[in-house]
Amino acid sequence: MDTIRSFEQEALECLTALYEPSEAREIARQLLEEVRGCTRTQLLLLSKDTLLSPAECARLERMLHDLSAGTPLQYVLGHTYFAGHRLTVAPGVLIPRPETEELIELILQHPESRASQRLLDVGTGSGCIAYALTAALPEVKQSVALEVSSEAAPIAEANFEALRKATGREVYLWKHDLFALLEKHTPPMPPLDLIVSNPPYIHPEEAEEMTPQVLLHEPHLALFAPEASPIAYYIALAELVAQGYLRSGGNLWVELNPLYATATEEAMLERIGRQHAKTKLIHDLSGKVRFLHLTYCPAE
């Protein structure tokens, strides 16, 4: 492998066991763009006989080796794109999903969101939700991201630092456990305008349906809900609201497991009090019930 043509041929042979040929070709182009530091247009303008340097060849070989072992492309590249933003990702942090981008769009389209000044992202992982909302909401003055994982926290911190450098906007990373937080009963003053979360929601029994790239490489802490109670995190989020973390009229948005959507909604309403909250289950673009929007209205 010493030219673009020979690399693309090798990549196709190496990756077709895991990817469709068209996807393998696209991955090969992304690897070339990353290693050569060029855009797609610049890459397409290059001759297929363009020579690759020994250092470029060595790096591309390492990338193909990792990909053929099932490592997700985003980990191999070291970054992904989410809601129009380039974010650092690495093993130990969940790779942001398109469904979570849909959640961001729903929040940004909601008329009350633009006035939000204080927000909390629970279980931030890579920081993708807090990053995208802090970048997009014009009135945000206090943005906090909660994360317990020692592997994920540094990645979120790096992304928040990139946000600060690019926009001047800050996200405070709070390394803490949600359940331990609830035991303290110390809601912020004033309360928050917006709470968002994409907590672990996959039941361990669903693992057999998952691809090896996800199951063997992405963090189980961010994927799997407690086997005894697959909606435990949502009940904890409802407890945050009940303890006073969310102001009257404030909004809670969550991504959830379609298998437990109704049970999640019922459990959250039960904990907060049906007379104190309004909820709506929302379908994703594939037609699955994927999101829940809750408005806190304790005075009603």
Side-chain angles (χ1 to χ4, degrees):
M1 176 183 69
D2 58 358
T3 66
I4 289 176
R5 187 190 311 278
S6 61
F7 167 71
E8 289 180 338
Q9 291 171 346
E10 181 176 338
L12 193 60
E13 294 171 3
C14 185
L15 299 177
T16 47
L18 291 173
Y19 300 94
E20 295 293 326
S22 60
E23 191 174 5
R25 282 190 287 270
E26 170 60 24
I27 289 172
R29 294 189 186 107
Q30 290 189 45
L31 297 182
L32 284 165
E33 290 166 15
E34 178 68 20
V35 168
R36 292 188 62 87
C38 66
T39 65
R40 178 59 56 90
T41 299
Q42 290 170 331
L43 178 64
L44 294 175
L45 290 174
L46 289 173
S47 166
K48 295 288 186 180
D49 295 319
T50 299
L51 287 172
L52 299 169
S53 72
E56 289 172 337
C57 290
R59 188 177 176 196
L60 288 167
E61 285 284 6
R62 289 195 299 272
M63 287 175 154
L64 285 182
H65 176 271
D66 290 344
L67 285 166
S68 64
T71 304
L73 174 63
Q74 295 89 338
Y75 289 163
V76 172
L77 293 174
H79 64 80
T80 191
Y81 287 88
F82 178 84
H85 304 286
R86 175 170 161 150
L87 298 177
T88 296
V89 292
V93 68
L94 188 71
I95 296 168
R97 302 308 203 256
E99 293 85 357
T100 310
E101 289 184 301
E102 291 182 46
L103 176 62
I104 296 298
E105 283 299 311
L106 287 168
I107 295 170
L108 295 180
Q109 290 168 8
H110 193 266
E112 294 180 14
S113 294
R114 294 191 67 80
S116 298
Q117 296 185 23
R118 293 170 298 280
L119 71 85
L120 172 66
D121 173 22
V122 178
T124 198
S126 66
C128 61
I129 291 176
Y131 187 117
L133 291 177
T134 305
L137 296 175
E139 301 299 324
V140 170
K141 294 179 174 60
Q142 181 184 32
S143 182
V144 178
L146 187 72
E147 178 56 57
V148 69
S149 168
S150 295
E151 292 181 288
I155 299 169
E157 192 73 81
N159 284 320
F160 297 152
E161 177 62 15
L163 174 67
R164 186 191 65 77
K165 289 180 178 178
T167 68
R169 314 204 80 183
E170 302 269 3
V171 179
Y172 171 70
L173 179 65
W174 190 8
K175 192 172 183 301
H176 204 67
D177 177 67
L178 171 61
F179 299 99
L181 178 64
L182 291 172
E183 293 178 3
K184 295 182 178 180
H185 292 267
T186 54
M189 292 300 294
L192 302 161
D193 301 303
L194 180 63
I195 298 176
V196 187
S197 185
N198 176 24
Y201 61 63
I202 300 173
H203 194 284
E205 292 180 353
E206 299 177 73
E208 61 186 28
E209 302 172 12
M210 300 168 69
T211 65
Q213 285 98 327
V214 174
L215 189 59
L216 299 179
H217 295 276
E218 296 197 57
H220 287 195
L221 179 65
L223 288 169
F224 293 108
E227 186 169 8
S229 178
I231 62 173
Y233 284 98
Y234 299 92
I235 297 172
L237 289 165
E239 177 65 22
L240 280 182
V241 177
Q243 286 189 12
Y245 277 76
L246 192 64
R247 69 166 173 81
S248 177
N251 294 278
L252 168 70
W253 295 82
V254 295
E255 185 175 330
L256 46 71
N257 189 330
L259 295 175
Y260 304 108
T262 301
T264 300
E265 181 181 36
E266 288 297 310
M268 295 182 78
L269 283 171
E270 184 70 24
R271 178 62 198 89
I272 297 169
R274 296 177 183 277
Q275 71 276 25
H276 299 321
K278 298 176 182 177
T279 57
K280 181 180 181 182
L281 292 171
I282 304 170
H283 293 76
D284 64 17
L285 293 178
S286 67
K288 296 180 179 179
V289 180
R290 181 73 62 180
F291 314 108
L292 182 143
H293 174 214
L294 181 149
T295 303
Y296 187 44
C297 42
E300 295 186 14

mmCIF file of all heavy atoms in Angstrom, residues 111-161:
data_model
loop_
_atom_site.group_PDB
_atom_site.id
_atom_site.type_symbol
_atom_site.label_atom_id
_atom_site.label_comp_id
_atom_site.label_asym_id
_atom_site.label_seq_id
_atom_site.Cartn_x
_atom_site.Cartn_y
_atom_site.Cartn_z
ATOM 1 N N PRO A 111 -40.968 26.267 21.959
ATOM 2 C CA PRO A 111 -40.922 27.726 22.152
ATOM 3 C C PRO A 111 -40.357 28.185 23.485
ATOM 4 O O PRO A 111 -39.784 29.271 23.576
ATOM 5 C CB PRO A 111 -42.394 28.147 21.996
ATOM 6 C CG PRO A 111 -43.190 26.898 22.171
ATOM 7 C CD PRO A 111 -42.328 25.788 21.674
ATOM 8 N N GLU A 112 -40.476 27.373 24.541
ATOM 9 C CA GLU A 112 -39.986 27.799 25.857
ATOM 10 C C GLU A 112 -38.478 27.611 26.030
ATOM 11 O O GLU A 112 -37.874 28.194 26.926
ATOM 12 C CB GLU A 112 -40.730 27.038 26.955
ATOM 13 C CG GLU A 112 -42.214 27.376 27.046
ATOM 14 C CD GLU A 112 -42.907 26.610 28.152
ATOM 15 O OE1 GLU A 112 -42.195 26.036 28.995
ATOM 16 O OE2 GLU A 112 -44.145 26.588 28.169
ATOM 17 N N SER A 113 -37.872 26.800 25.158
ATOM 18 C CA SER A 113 -36.459 26.468 25.340
ATOM 19 C C SER A 113 -35.549 27.681 25.183
ATOM 20 O O SER A 113 -34.552 27.826 25.902
ATOM 21 C CB SER A 113 -36.035 25.379 24.350
ATOM 22 O OG SER A 113 -36.701 24.165 24.620
ATOM 23 N N ARG A 114 -35.857 28.560 24.262
ATOM 24 C CA ARG A 114 -34.948 29.662 23.951
ATOM 25 C C ARG A 114 -34.779 30.628 25.114
ATOM 26 O O ARG A 114 -33.801 31.373 25.166
ATOM 27 C CB ARG A 114 -35.416 30.420 22.709
ATOM 28 C CG ARG A 114 -35.354 29.574 21.448
ATOM 29 C CD ARG A 114 -35.552 30.396 20.195
ATOM 30 N NE ARG A 114 -34.457 31.333 19.963
ATOM 31 C CZ ARG A 114 -33.289 31.000 19.432
ATOM 32 N NH1 ARG A 114 -33.043 29.752 19.093
ATOM 33 N NH2 ARG A 114 -32.364 31.917 19.230
ATOM 34 N N ALA A 115 -35.701 30.601 26.052
ATOM 35 C CA ALA A 115 -35.592 31.480 27.216
ATOM 36 C C ALA A 115 -34.854 30.808 28.375
ATOM 37 O O ALA A 115 -34.644 31.432 29.416
ATOM 38 C CB ALA A 115 -36.975 31.916 27.669
ATOM 39 N N SER A 116 -34.446 29.563 28.209
ATOM 40 C CA SER A 116 -33.792 28.825 29.292
ATOM 41 C C SER A 116 -32.465 29.471 29.667
ATOM 42 O O SER A 116 -31.627 29.731 28.807
ATOM 43 C CB SER A 116 -33.552 27.365 28.879
ATOM 44 O OG SER A 116 -34.773 26.703 28.633
ATOM 45 N N GLN A 117 -32.280 29.702 30.958
ATOM 46 C CA GLN A 117 -31.038 30.301 31.456
ATOM 47 C C GLN A 117 -30.174 29.317 32.240
ATOM 48 O O GLN A 117 -28.965 29.475 32.307
ATOM 49 C CB GLN A 117 -31.366 31.506 32.342
ATOM 50 C CG GLN A 117 -32.043 32.637 31.603
ATOM 51 C CD GLN A 117 -32.230 33.857 32.483
ATOM 52 O OE1 GLN A 117 -31.517 34.048 33.470
ATOM 53 N NE2 GLN A 117 -33.191 34.706 32.140
ATOM 54 N N ARG A 118 -30.818 28.298 32.830
ATOM 55 C CA ARG A 118 -30.093 27.317 33.646
ATOM 56 C C ARG A 118 -30.492 25.916 33.196
ATOM 57 O O ARG A 118 -31.670 25.564 33.236
ATOM 58 C CB ARG A 118 -30.406 27.508 35.132
ATOM 59 C CG ARG A 118 -29.885 28.820 35.708
ATOM 60 C CD ARG A 118 -30.419 29.087 37.100
ATOM 61 N NE ARG A 118 -31.873 29.212 37.105
ATOM 62 C CZ ARG A 118 -32.515 30.328 36.750
ATOM 63 N NH1 ARG A 118 -31.836 31.398 36.371
ATOM 64 N NH2 ARG A 118 -33.830 30.370 36.766
ATOM 65 N N LEU A 119 -29.490 25.132 32.781
ATOM 66 C CA LEU A 119 -29.802 23.782 32.305
ATOM 67 C C LEU A 119 -28.871 22.750 32.931
ATOM 68 O O LEU A 119 -27.735 23.052 33.307
ATOM 69 C CB LEU A 119 -29.762 23.703 30.782
ATOM 70 C CG LEU A 119 -28.429 23.777 30.036
ATOM 71 C CD1 LEU A 119 -27.761 22.421 29.933
ATOM 72 C CD2 LEU A 119 -28.639 24.350 28.639
ATOM 73 N N LEU A 120 -29.355 21.524 33.010
ATOM 74 C CA LEU A 120 -28.599 20.392 33.549
ATOM 75 C C LEU A 120 -28.732 19.224 32.593
ATOM 76 O O LEU A 120 -29.836 18.834 32.218
ATOM 77 C CB LEU A 120 -29.144 20.002 34.924
ATOM 78 C CG LEU A 120 -28.588 18.702 35.537
ATOM 79 C CD1 LEU A 120 -27.102 18.840 35.847
ATOM 80 C CD2 LEU A 120 -29.378 18.324 36.792
ATOM 81 N N ASP A 121 -27.585 18.657 32.193
ATOM 82 C CA ASP A 121 -27.542 17.443 31.375
ATOM 83 C C ASP A 121 -27.077 16.311 32.284
ATOM 84 O O ASP A 121 -25.943 16.333 32.768
ATOM 85 C CB ASP A 121 -26.582 17.653 30.198
ATOM 86 C CG ASP A 121 -26.336 16.385 29.395
ATOM 87 O OD1 ASP A 121 -27.173 15.470 29.462
ATOM 88 O OD2 ASP A 121 -25.306 16.328 28.689
ATOM 89 N N VAL A 122 -27.934 15.336 32.511
ATOM 90 C CA VAL A 122 -27.632 14.243 33.445
ATOM 91 C C VAL A 122 -27.081 13.043 32.684
ATOM 92 O O VAL A 122 -27.752 12.494 31.810
ATOM 93 C CB VAL A 122 -28.886 13.833 34.241
ATOM 94 C CG1 VAL A 122 -28.563 12.668 35.175
ATOM 95 C CG2 VAL A 122 -29.446 15.016 35.018
ATOM 96 N N GLY A 123 -25.852 12.638 33.019
ATOM 97 C CA GLY A 123 -25.188 11.544 32.328
ATOM 98 C C GLY A 123 -24.658 12.015 30.991
ATOM 99 O O GLY A 123 -24.980 11.457 29.946
ATOM 100 N N THR A 124 -23.803 13.020 31.017
ATOM 101 C CA THR A 124 -23.432 13.735 29.794
ATOM 102 C C THR A 124 -22.582 12.924 28.832
ATOM 103 O O THR A 124 -22.582 13.181 27.636
ATOM 104 C CB THR A 124 -22.727 15.056 30.158
ATOM 105 O OG1 THR A 124 -22.751 15.925 29.033
ATOM 106 C CG2 THR A 124 -21.291 14.828 30.617
ATOM 107 N N GLY A 125 -21.823 11.917 29.327
ATOM 108 C CA GLY A 125 -20.996 11.120 28.427
ATOM 109 C C GLY A 125 -19.960 11.976 27.720
ATOM 110 O O GLY A 125 -19.107 12.602 28.351
ATOM 111 N N SER A 126 -20.038 12.029 26.402
ATOM 112 C CA SER A 126 -19.126 12.860 25.611
ATOM 113 C C SER A 126 -19.381 14.342 25.806
ATOM 114 O O SER A 126 -18.568 15.173 25.392
ATOM 115 C CB SER A 126 -19.267 12.521 24.128
ATOM 116 O OG SER A 126 -20.563 12.893 23.654
ATOM 117 N N GLY A 127 -20.526 14.677 26.411
ATOM 118 C CA GLY A 127 -20.905 16.075 26.560
ATOM 119 C C GLY A 127 -21.736 16.576 25.409
ATOM 120 O O GLY A 127 -22.027 17.770 25.317
ATOM 121 N N CYS A 128 -22.168 15.678 24.528
ATOM 122 C CA CYS A 128 -22.813 16.109 23.280
ATOM 123 C C CYS A 128 -24.086 16.929 23.509
ATOM 124 O O CYS A 128 -24.296 17.948 22.845
ATOM 125 C CB CYS A 128 -23.097 14.914 22.386
ATOM 126 S SG CYS A 128 -24.219 13.658 23.058
ATOM 127 N N ILE A 129 -24.934 16.512 24.457
ATOM 128 C CA ILE A 129 -26.183 17.234 24.677
ATOM 129 C C ILE A 129 -25.916 18.610 25.272
ATOM 130 O O ILE A 129 -26.421 19.623 24.776
ATOM 131 C CB ILE A 129 -27.129 16.416 25.584
ATOM 132 C CG1 ILE A 129 -27.632 15.175 24.840
ATOM 133 C CG2 ILE A 129 -28.304 17.268 26.055
ATOM 134 C CD1 ILE A 129 -28.496 14.255 25.689
ATOM 135 N N ALA A 130 -25.124 18.654 26.334
ATOM 136 C CA ALA A 130 -24.817 19.940 26.968
ATOM 137 C C ALA A 130 -24.109 20.872 25.983
ATOM 138 O O ALA A 130 -24.374 22.079 25.951
ATOM 139 C CB ALA A 130 -23.956 19.720 28.206
ATOM 140 N N TYR A 131 -23.201 20.324 25.192
ATOM 141 C CA TYR A 131 -22.467 21.117 24.203
ATOM 142 C C TYR A 131 -23.433 21.743 23.202
ATOM 143 O O TYR A 131 -23.421 22.966 22.978
ATOM 144 C CB TYR A 131 -21.464 20.197 23.479
ATOM 145 C CG TYR A 131 -20.502 20.882 22.547
ATOM 146 C CD1 TYR A 131 -19.126 20.856 22.789
ATOM 147 C CD2 TYR A 131 -20.941 21.530 21.397
ATOM 148 C CE1 TYR A 131 -18.229 21.471 21.931
ATOM 149 C CE2 TYR A 131 -20.045 22.146 20.531
ATOM 150 C CZ TYR A 131 -18.699 22.109 20.805
ATOM 151 O OH TYR A 131 -17.814 22.719 19.959
ATOM 152 N N ALA A 132 -24.280 20.916 22.586
ATOM 153 C CA ALA A 132 -25.168 21.400 21.531
ATOM 154 C C ALA A 132 -26.172 22.418 22.056
ATOM 155 O O ALA A 132 -26.430 23.440 21.406
ATOM 156 C CB ALA A 132 -25.897 20.224 20.883
ATOM 157 N N LEU A 133 -26.734 22.159 23.242
ATOM 158 C CA LEU A 133 -27.735 23.082 23.790
ATOM 159 C C LEU A 133 -27.093 24.390 24.247
ATOM 160 O O LEU A 133 -27.645 25.473 24.022
ATOM 161 C CB LEU A 133 -28.481 22.426 24.948
ATOM 162 C CG LEU A 133 -29.398 21.267 24.563
ATOM 163 C CD1 LEU A 133 -30.024 20.657 25.807
ATOM 164 C CD2 LEU A 133 -30.485 21.716 23.586
ATOM 165 N N THR A 134 -25.939 24.308 24.872
ATOM 166 C CA THR A 134 -25.261 25.520 25.333
ATOM 167 C C THR A 134 -24.836 26.383 24.146
ATOM 168 O O THR A 134 -24.881 27.615 24.214
ATOM 169 C CB THR A 134 -24.042 25.161 26.194
ATOM 170 O OG1 THR A 134 -24.475 24.314 27.269
ATOM 171 C CG2 THR A 134 -23.370 26.395 26.771
ATOM 172 N N ALA A 135 -24.440 25.743 23.068
ATOM 173 C CA ALA A 135 -24.046 26.480 21.871
ATOM 174 C C ALA A 135 -25.235 27.143 21.189
ATOM 175 O O ALA A 135 -25.095 28.210 20.590
ATOM 176 C CB ALA A 135 -23.345 25.544 20.886
ATOM 177 N N ALA A 136 -26.429 26.515 21.297
ATOM 178 C CA ALA A 136 -27.571 26.975 20.513
ATOM 179 C C ALA A 136 -28.548 27.884 21.259
ATOM 180 O O ALA A 136 -29.211 28.716 20.639
ATOM 181 C CB ALA A 136 -28.337 25.765 19.969
ATOM 182 N N LEU A 137 -28.663 27.712 22.583
ATOM 183 C CA LEU A 137 -29.662 28.481 23.330
ATOM 184 C C LEU A 137 -29.080 29.827 23.746
ATOM 185 O O LEU A 137 -28.108 29.882 24.504
ATOM 186 C CB LEU A 137 -30.128 27.693 24.553
ATOM 187 C CG LEU A 137 -30.866 26.383 24.235
ATOM 188 C CD1 LEU A 137 -31.188 25.611 25.506
ATOM 189 C CD2 LEU A 137 -32.145 26.661 23.431
ATOM 190 N N PRO A 138 -29.669 30.922 23.307
ATOM 191 C CA PRO A 138 -29.035 32.237 23.468
ATOM 192 C C PRO A 138 -29.001 32.780 24.875
ATOM 193 O O PRO A 138 -28.143 33.600 25.206
ATOM 194 C CB PRO A 138 -29.886 33.140 22.556
ATOM 195 C CG PRO A 138 -31.230 32.480 22.516
ATOM 196 C CD PRO A 138 -30.942 31.019 22.555
ATOM 197 N N GLU A 139 -29.914 32.336 25.753
ATOM 198 C CA GLU A 139 -30.022 32.922 27.085
ATOM 199 C C GLU A 139 -29.334 32.120 28.179
ATOM 200 O O GLU A 139 -29.380 32.501 29.344
ATOM 201 C CB GLU A 139 -31.507 33.114 27.444
ATOM 202 C CG GLU A 139 -32.278 34.017 26.486
ATOM 203 C CD GLU A 139 -31.711 35.425 26.453
ATOM 204 O OE1 GLU A 139 -31.271 35.920 27.505
ATOM 205 O OE2 GLU A 139 -31.706 36.034 25.358
ATOM 206 N N VAL A 140 -28.720 30.989 27.819
ATOM 207 C CA VAL A 140 -28.108 30.126 28.843
ATOM 208 C C VAL A 140 -26.979 30.848 29.562
ATOM 209 O O VAL A 140 -26.043 31.350 28.940
ATOM 210 C CB VAL A 140 -27.585 28.817 28.223
ATOM 211 C CG1 VAL A 140 -26.737 28.061 29.231
ATOM 212 C CG2 VAL A 140 -28.744 27.949 27.762
ATOM 213 N N LYS A 141 -27.093 30.901 30.870
ATOM 214 C CA LYS A 141 -26.064 31.527 31.715
ATOM 215 C C LYS A 141 -25.366 30.501 32.615
ATOM 216 O O LYS A 141 -24.252 30.733 33.066
ATOM 217 C CB LYS A 141 -26.684 32.632 32.575
ATOM 218 C CG LYS A 141 -27.191 33.822 31.760
ATOM 219 C CD LYS A 141 -27.805 34.862 32.665
ATOM 220 C CE LYS A 141 -28.177 36.123 31.883
ATOM 221 N NZ LYS A 141 -29.148 35.848 30.807
ATOM 222 N N GLN A 142 -26.049 29.388 32.901
ATOM 223 C CA GLN A 142 -25.471 28.344 33.748
ATOM 224 C C GLN A 142 -25.795 26.990 33.126
ATOM 225 O O GLN A 142 -26.957 26.606 33.026
ATOM 226 C CB GLN A 142 -26.032 28.411 35.173
ATOM 227 C CG GLN A 142 -25.437 27.363 36.106
ATOM 228 C CD GLN A 142 -26.084 27.385 37.479
ATOM 229 O OE1 GLN A 142 -27.258 27.701 37.611
ATOM 230 N NE2 GLN A 142 -25.324 27.036 38.502
ATOM 231 N N SER A 143 -24.750 26.305 32.687
ATOM 232 C CA SER A 143 -24.917 25.002 32.049
ATOM 233 C C SER A 143 -24.068 23.991 32.810
ATOM 234 O O SER A 143 -22.851 24.150 32.922
ATOM 235 C CB SER A 143 -24.482 25.073 30.583
ATOM 236 O OG SER A 143 -24.680 23.835 29.940
ATOM 237 N N VAL A 144 -24.717 22.947 33.327
ATOM 238 C CA VAL A 144 -24.039 21.944 34.140
ATOM 239 C C VAL A 144 -24.240 20.573 33.511
ATOM 240 O O VAL A 144 -25.346 20.226 33.073
ATOM 241 C CB VAL A 144 -24.579 21.935 35.588
ATOM 242 C CG1 VAL A 144 -23.891 20.849 36.414
ATOM 243 C CG2 VAL A 144 -24.389 23.306 36.231
ATOM 244 N N ALA A 145 -23.166 19.789 33.453
ATOM 245 C CA ALA A 145 -23.221 18.433 32.920
ATOM 246 C C ALA A 145 -22.787 17.454 33.998
ATOM 247 O O ALA A 145 -21.678 17.561 34.529
ATOM 248 C CB ALA A 145 -22.326 18.316 31.689
ATOM 249 N N LEU A 146 -23.638 16.522 34.342
ATOM 250 C CA LEU A 146 -23.366 15.539 35.398
ATOM 251 C C LEU A 146 -22.855 14.251 34.767
ATOM 252 O O LEU A 146 -23.456 13.731 33.820
ATOM 253 C CB LEU A 146 -24.656 15.270 36.176
ATOM 254 C CG LEU A 146 -24.565 14.407 37.433
ATOM 255 C CD1 LEU A 146 -23.886 15.168 38.549
ATOM 256 C CD2 LEU A 146 -25.963 13.963 37.866
ATOM 257 N N GLU A 147 -21.743 13.732 35.274
ATOM 258 C CA GLU A 147 -21.189 12.473 34.761
ATOM 259 C C GLU A 147 -20.417 11.773 35.868
ATOM 260 O O GLU A 147 -19.612 12.386 36.554
ATOM 261 C CB GLU A 147 -20.265 12.737 33.573
ATOM 262 C CG GLU A 147 -19.609 11.509 32.990
ATOM 263 C CD GLU A 147 -20.624 10.448 32.571
ATOM 264 O OE1 GLU A 147 -21.510 10.753 31.742
ATOM 265 O OE2 GLU A 147 -20.527 9.316 33.101
ATOM 266 N N VAL A 148 -20.645 10.468 36.013
ATOM 267 C CA VAL A 148 -19.988 9.705 37.067
ATOM 268 C C VAL A 148 -18.771 8.941 36.554
ATOM 269 O O VAL A 148 -17.866 8.612 37.320
ATOM 270 C CB VAL A 148 -20.989 8.731 37.735
ATOM 271 C CG1 VAL A 148 -21.400 7.617 36.781
ATOM 272 C CG2 VAL A 148 -20.423 8.169 39.034
ATOM 273 N N SER A 149 -18.716 8.648 35.257
ATOM 274 C CA SER A 149 -17.651 7.818 34.706
ATOM 275 C C SER A 149 -16.311 8.547 34.658
ATOM 276 O O SER A 149 -16.198 9.631 34.083
ATOM 277 C CB SER A 149 -18.021 7.353 33.291
ATOM 278 O OG SER A 149 -16.909 6.791 32.635
ATOM 279 N N SER A 150 -15.284 7.912 35.218
ATOM 280 C CA SER A 150 -13.939 8.487 35.186
ATOM 281 C C SER A 150 -13.336 8.431 33.783
ATOM 282 O O SER A 150 -12.405 9.171 33.475
ATOM 283 C CB SER A 150 -13.013 7.743 36.156
ATOM 284 O OG SER A 150 -13.447 7.921 37.485
ATOM 285 N N GLU A 151 -13.838 7.541 32.928
ATOM 286 C CA GLU A 151 -13.371 7.468 31.550
ATOM 287 C C GLU A 151 -14.037 8.536 30.683
ATOM 288 O O GLU A 151 -13.401 9.132 29.826
ATOM 289 C CB GLU A 151 -13.655 6.091 30.965
ATOM 290 C CG GLU A 151 -12.851 4.961 31.581
ATOM 291 C CD GLU A 151 -13.159 3.638 30.931
ATOM 292 O OE1 GLU A 151 -14.267 3.108 31.169
ATOM 293 O OE2 GLU A 151 -12.309 3.142 30.173
ATOM 294 N N ALA A 152 -15.325 8.763 30.911
ATOM 295 C CA ALA A 152 -16.058 9.714 30.082
ATOM 296 C C ALA A 152 -15.771 11.164 30.451
ATOM 297 O O ALA A 152 -15.734 12.043 29.582
ATOM 298 C CB ALA A 152 -17.558 9.443 30.171
ATOM 299 N N ALA A 153 -15.574 11.431 31.745
ATOM 300 C CA ALA A 153 -15.434 12.814 32.212
ATOM 301 C C ALA A 153 -14.336 13.600 31.493
ATOM 302 O O ALA A 153 -14.565 14.736 31.077
ATOM 303 C CB ALA A 153 -15.221 12.831 33.726
ATOM 304 N N PRO A 154 -13.121 13.051 31.302
ATOM 305 C CA PRO A 154 -12.088 13.825 30.613
ATOM 306 C C PRO A 154 -12.433 14.142 29.159
ATOM 307 O O PRO A 154 -12.036 15.182 28.638
ATOM 308 C CB PRO A 154 -10.853 12.917 30.699
ATOM 309 C CG PRO A 154 -11.123 11.977 31.804
ATOM 310 C CD PRO A 154 -12.597 11.765 31.803
ATOM 311 N N ILE A 155 -13.190 13.242 28.522
ATOM 312 C CA ILE A 155 -13.589 13.480 27.135
ATOM 313 C C ILE A 155 -14.606 14.610 27.081
ATOM 314 O O ILE A 155 -14.528 15.513 26.230
ATOM 315 C CB ILE A 155 -14.146 12.193 26.521
ATOM 316 C CG1 ILE A 155 -13.062 11.107 26.524
ATOM 317 C CG2 ILE A 155 -14.653 12.437 25.101
ATOM 318 C CD1 ILE A 155 -13.567 9.730 26.193
ATOM 319 N N ALA A 156 -15.568 14.596 28.001
ATOM 320 C CA ALA A 156 -16.526 15.696 28.078
ATOM 321 C C ALA A 156 -15.819 17.012 28.362
ATOM 322 O O ALA A 156 -16.123 18.046 27.757
ATOM 323 C CB ALA A 156 -17.573 15.404 29.154
ATOM 324 N N GLU A 157 -14.857 16.968 29.283
ATOM 325 C CA GLU A 157 -14.108 18.182 29.630
ATOM 326 C C GLU A 157 -13.387 18.745 28.414
ATOM 327 O O GLU A 157 -13.366 19.974 28.191
ATOM 328 C CB GLU A 157 -13.104 17.855 30.730
ATOM 329 C CG GLU A 157 -12.468 19.073 31.392
ATOM 330 C CD GLU A 157 -13.438 19.812 32.301
ATOM 331 O OE1 GLU A 157 -13.641 19.376 33.445
ATOM 332 O OE2 GLU A 157 -13.990 20.834 31.841
ATOM 333 N N ALA A 158 -12.801 17.866 27.609
ATOM 334 C CA ALA A 158 -12.108 18.320 26.391
ATOM 335 C C ALA A 158 -13.084 18.961 25.412
ATOM 336 O O ALA A 158 -12.769 19.989 24.784
ATOM 337 C CB ALA A 158 -11.395 17.138 25.734
ATOM 338 N N ASN A 159 -14.260 18.389 25.290
ATOM 339 C CA ASN A 159 -15.252 18.974 24.380
ATOM 340 C C ASN A 159 -15.766 20.315 24.893
ATOM 341 O O ASN A 159 -15.975 21.249 24.116
ATOM 342 C CB ASN A 159 -16.408 17.991 24.168
ATOM 343 C CG ASN A 159 -16.028 16.857 23.237
ATOM 344 O OD1 ASN A 159 -15.336 17.066 22.242
ATOM 345 N ND2 ASN A 159 -16.475 15.656 23.548
ATOM 346 N N PHE A 160 -15.949 20.425 26.204
ATOM 347 C CA PHE A 160 -16.412 21.694 26.761
ATOM 348 C C PHE A 160 -15.347 22.781 26.626
ATOM 349 O O PHE A 160 -15.671 23.957 26.442
ATOM 350 C CB PHE A 160 -16.809 21.510 28.230
ATOM 351 C CG PHE A 160 -17.966 20.569 28.433
ATOM 352 C CD1 PHE A 160 -18.105 19.843 29.614
ATOM 353 C CD2 PHE A 160 -18.924 20.391 27.442
ATOM 354 C CE1 PHE A 160 -19.161 18.974 29.809
ATOM 355 C CE2 PHE A 160 -19.992 19.518 27.622
ATOM 356 C CZ PHE A 160 -20.098 18.806 28.800
ATOM 357 N N GLU A 161 -14.079 22.388 26.717
ATOM 358 C CA GLU A 161 -13.006 23.349 26.518
ATOM 359 C C GLU A 161 -12.990 23.829 25.059
ATOM 360 O O GLU A 161 -12.767 25.016 24.791
ATOM 361 C CB GLU A 161 -11.658 22.717 26.876
ATOM 362 C CG GLU A 161 -10.445 23.608 26.633
ATOM 363 C CD GLU A 161 -10.445 24.887 27.458
ATOM 364 O OE1 GLU A 161 -11.216 24.988 28.438
ATOM 365 O OE2 GLU A 161 -9.665 25.799 27.111
#
